[in-house]
Amino acid sequence: MPSILLRLLSLWCCLCLPLEALADVLRLESGMHSSGTSGYLERFDDAGGRMSVMDVDDASGWQPLPHGLSAGFSLAAIWLRLDLQVPPDARRNWVLSLSNALLDDVQVYLHDGDRWRLIGHSGENLPRALWPVDNRSPAFHLPPLGLDEQRLMVRLQSKNALAVRLDIWEQQAFNDHSRREALLFGIYFGFYLLLICSFAVFWRLTSARDSGLFLIYVITGVFSETLTLGLIQQATGLPVWLSDRLLGVGIIIGLPVGLLLAMRQLELETLYPLAVRRVFRVCSLFAAVMGGWIILGHYGWAMVPTQTIALLAIPCLVLLAIVLCVRGHESARFFLLAFGVFYIGIIMGFMRNLGYLPVNTWTEHASSVGAMWYMALVSLRIVARYHRQRREHERAQGMLLAELAQQHSQRLEQQVMQRTSELREEIGRRERLEQELRNALSLERKVREEQRDFVAMVSHEFRTPLAIISTTAQRLGGTLGRMEQRNLERCQHIRKASQRLMALVDDYLSDERMTATQAEPRLASCDLPSLLGGLQDEFAAGRIQLDYRLAGSDLYCDSGLLRIALRNLLANADRHAPEHEPVWLEVDADGDCVRFRVINGGGAISEEERDRLFQKYFRGQAAQLSPGAGLGLYLVRRIARLLGGNVQQERNDDAERVCFCLTLPLQDGGEG
């Protein structure tokens, strides 16, 4: 049934619109500035899209076109043939222009004597920079026509609707037409821009639902129309895969929004609220599915059902408006006045895209004229309705305020008494809260003290058995004598494991100690040679070589923290130094500071890792396969700063030597 109605309406439009005489050859006269090609074109459908221009020209099945091309959504390549007659006095610069800006591929061929040659290639599949003429729609410069009769062949292919009109312009006339067209577009879209800005301000001030819906509908409509006309693509060089998706999504969004706006203008929400909600949900679900198809690249598959649903919804709304108008519904009369013209234009545009109406000036601009008429009337109605509702609201509010004024004086004393009572309760609540906060603060301090005591206890209880294990393993290894080598290796493993566990405990507990809010170093006189000798004993014999150059033996500092820092530096060097090379520990004075330099062989440290060496838990590429927690160098830096010193990795010319330097101040009583 819808197909029969569309065909009847198409036949009626074809009978009512003027037809141009069908002619074999288009003659370009000397005084002619432009000429349409309606009535001079022939059409051929290449279903596979693989035929050459010579095969197409020789093929049978050409059909005359009384109007422009209106092929709907077609996957075939459409060929148009045009014969030109150009007298010698009319051989000037001519331009062939196509009205549709959404054609994917356009190729123009000219029969030059005994052969065909491609004179232009355009369309959205090509970047805009490669178009032969900078225009919103494809246009081509025709070469100087040397013969009286010439034949042009135009190959068209697009996933969009193949509705196009061809015109031939004299060069200067085409330039003038482009400028006039740009001016008209500026006026046309300037009207919409003014409307959008006005309603944006109106919606921002009023938060009226109808104004928000109308604003969304206008924005999507204007955006879709600028894409349809090719203006955005010409200005920005938007690629076809993005422009098609934006256009399709814009049209899809406009479908449920426009339907809801139309139903609200008919005030159907008050008459059939449940039906309105269901229709809007179904339409929104349909739009979401079609939008997904468009985003996936199936533009034509989504546009045909979308435009068909829109065409079916229009007569349903119009019929319902007629029924309500007969019943005396005031909004129905306005709906028929505003939406009737708009729907006629939409129907003409959709039927042209679907191939049921010819392409001419009437069908190209009908939807634009109807849209301007509709948007102007609807915008005025929305503003008028809002002001009417506001006046009614103000009258109701005035009556309510008069009643409230009488009640206000009666409630005022009760409120004062109630507020006074609440204030007393609030003061008492705040006093109780303050006391609770004091108790909580006291409890938090007690908990922190208990935590510090626990850390100290754990440190003592862990280190004592670990030291016993290490000492026992060392003595056992020294008294094995002639026992098997395997038992000796096991003793060494025991000692290394205990040293590793002791180092981890020191690292974690030292970090916990220094993280405490009131952590302070425990300064005392420290016997440096004894401390350094103990550190040497923790490693393999001869592994750590000491170079002691200080004049004295005492240093005023926190010996526990200093031992942890030096052990971490030596352990780090021991892990990365070759097994056959010793690790050097140099101790000397540097002004009023003492300097500990740990030097080892091994690969150089990359610049990328150098800046992160002292970060917490950072382990370099060379340390990934060795044990450790990434706390060693981090603790060294924290201890150095806590003791008033610094640590850094020294740069030197020898890339195979790595040196870390720990510098501490010589405190009072610690200078040797």
Side-chain angles (χ1 to χ4, degrees), residues 62 71 92 112-113 183 204 222 230 236-237 249 287-288 330 345 369 380 511 566 601 628 669:
W62 284 91
R92 303 189 302 275
D112 189 4
L183 177 61
R204 180 67 180 84
V222 171
T236 64
V249 171
E330 181 182 355
V369 174
L380 293 176
D511 181 52
L566 291 176

Coordinates of all heavy atoms in Angstrom, one line a residue, residues 62 71 92 112-113 183 204 222 230 236-237 249 287-288 330 345 369 380 511 566 601 628 669:
W62 N 20.1 2.1 -23.3 CA 20.1 3.5 -22.8 C 18.6 4.0 -22.8 O 17.8 3.7 -23.6 CB 20.9 4.3 -23.8 CG 22.4 4.2 -23.6 CD1 23.1 3.3 -24.3 CD2 23.2 4.9 -22.8 NE1 24.5 3.4 -23.9 CE2 24.5 4.4 -22.9 CE3 23.0 5.9 -21.8 CZ2 25.6 4.9 -22.2 CZ3 24.1 6.4 -21.1 CH2 25.4 5.9 -21.3
A71 N 17.9 8.1 -9.0 CA 18.0 6.6 -9.0 C 17.9 6.0 -7.6 O 18.0 4.8 -7.4 CB 19.4 6.2 -9.6
R92 N 34.1 28.6 -25.8 CA 34.7 29.3 -24.7 C 35.0 28.3 -23.6 O 34.9 27.1 -23.8 CB 33.8 30.4 -24.2 CG 33.4 31.4 -25.3 CD 32.6 32.6 -24.7 NE 31.4 32.2 -24.0 CZ 30.3 32.0 -24.5 NH1 30.1 32.1 -25.9 NH2 29.2 31.7 -23.8
D112 N 36.9 12.3 -27.9 CA 37.8 13.1 -28.7 C 38.2 12.5 -30.0 O 39.2 11.7 -30.1 CB 39.1 13.5 -27.8 CG 39.9 14.5 -28.5 OD1 39.5 15.1 -29.5 OD2 41.0 14.8 -27.9
G113 N 37.5 12.7 -31.0 CA 37.8 12.1 -32.3 C 37.4 10.6 -32.3 O 36.2 10.3 -32.3
L183 N 26.4 33.6 -0.9 CA 25.7 34.6 -0.2 C 24.4 34.1 0.3 O 23.9 34.4 1.4 CB 25.5 35.8 -1.1 CG 24.7 37.0 -0.6 CD1 25.3 37.6 0.7 CD2 24.4 38.1 -1.6
R204 N 18.4 28.3 28.2 CA 19.2 28.4 29.4 C 18.5 29.2 30.5 O 18.7 28.9 31.7 CB 20.5 29.1 29.0 CG 21.5 29.4 30.1 CD 22.0 28.1 30.6 NE 23.0 28.3 31.7 CZ 22.6 28.4 33.0 NH1 21.4 28.4 33.3 NH2 23.6 28.6 33.9
V222 N 20.2 21.4 10.9 CA 21.2 22.3 10.3 C 22.5 21.6 10.0 O 23.1 21.8 8.9 CB 21.4 23.6 11.1 CG1 22.5 24.5 10.6 CG2 20.1 24.4 11.2
G230 N 27.4 19.8 1.3 CA 28.9 19.7 1.1 C 29.7 20.9 1.6 O 30.8 21.0 1.3
T236 N 36.5 21.9 5.5 CA 37.4 21.2 6.4 C 38.1 20.1 5.7 O 39.0 19.5 6.3 CB 36.6 20.7 7.6 OG1 35.6 19.7 7.2 CG2 35.9 21.8 8.3
G237 N 37.7 19.7 4.5 CA 38.3 18.5 3.9 C 37.9 17.2 4.6 O 38.7 16.2 4.6
V249 N 24.1 9.7 11.3 CA 23.7 9.8 12.7 C 22.9 11.1 13.0 O 22.0 11.0 13.8 CB 25.0 9.8 13.5 CG1 24.7 10.2 15.0 CG2 25.7 8.5 13.4
A287 N 16.0 4.0 16.1 CA 17.1 4.9 15.7 C 18.5 4.4 16.2 O 19.5 4.6 15.5 CB 16.8 6.3 16.3
A288 N 18.5 3.8 17.4 CA 19.8 3.3 17.9 C 20.3 2.2 17.0 O 21.5 2.1 16.7 CB 19.6 2.8 19.3
E330 N -7.4 22.8 19.7 CA -6.8 24.0 19.2 C -5.4 23.7 18.7 O -4.9 24.2 17.7 CB -6.7 25.0 20.3 CG -6.0 26.3 19.9 CD -5.9 27.3 21.0 OE1 -6.5 27.0 22.1 OE2 -5.3 28.4 20.8
G345 N 7.3 19.2 2.2 CA 8.7 19.4 1.7 C 9.6 18.1 2.1 O 10.4 17.7 1.2
V369 N 12.5 25.1 2.3 CA 11.5 26.1 2.4 C 10.5 25.7 3.5 O 10.1 26.5 4.4 CB 10.8 26.4 1.1 CG1 9.6 27.3 1.3 CG2 11.7 27.0 0.1
L380 N 8.0 30.6 17.4 CA 7.0 31.6 17.9 C 6.0 30.9 18.9 O 5.7 31.5 19.9 CB 6.3 32.3 16.8 CG 7.2 33.2 15.9 CD1 6.4 33.7 14.7 CD2 7.9 34.3 16.7
D511 N 62.6 1.8 57.2 CA 61.7 2.7 56.5 C 60.5 3.0 57.4 O 60.0 4.1 57.4 CB 61.2 1.9 55.2 CG 60.2 2.8 54.5 OD1 60.5 4.0 54.1 OD2 59.1 2.3 54.2
L566 N 75.4 2.1 54.7 CA 76.6 1.6 54.1 C 76.4 0.1 53.6 O 76.9 -0.3 52.6 CB 77.8 1.7 55.0 CG 78.3 3.1 55.3 CD1 79.4 3.0 56.4 CD2 78.8 3.8 54.1
G601 N 83.0 -2.7 39.8 CA 83.0 -2.9 38.3 C 81.6 -3.4 37.9 O 80.8 -3.7 38.7
G628 N 65.8 -8.7 46.1 CA 65.8 -7.4 46.6 C 64.4 -6.8 46.5 O 63.5 -7.4 45.8
G669 N 82.1 16.9 68.2 CA 82.4 15.7 69.0 C 82.8 14.5 68.1 O 83.2 13.5 68.6

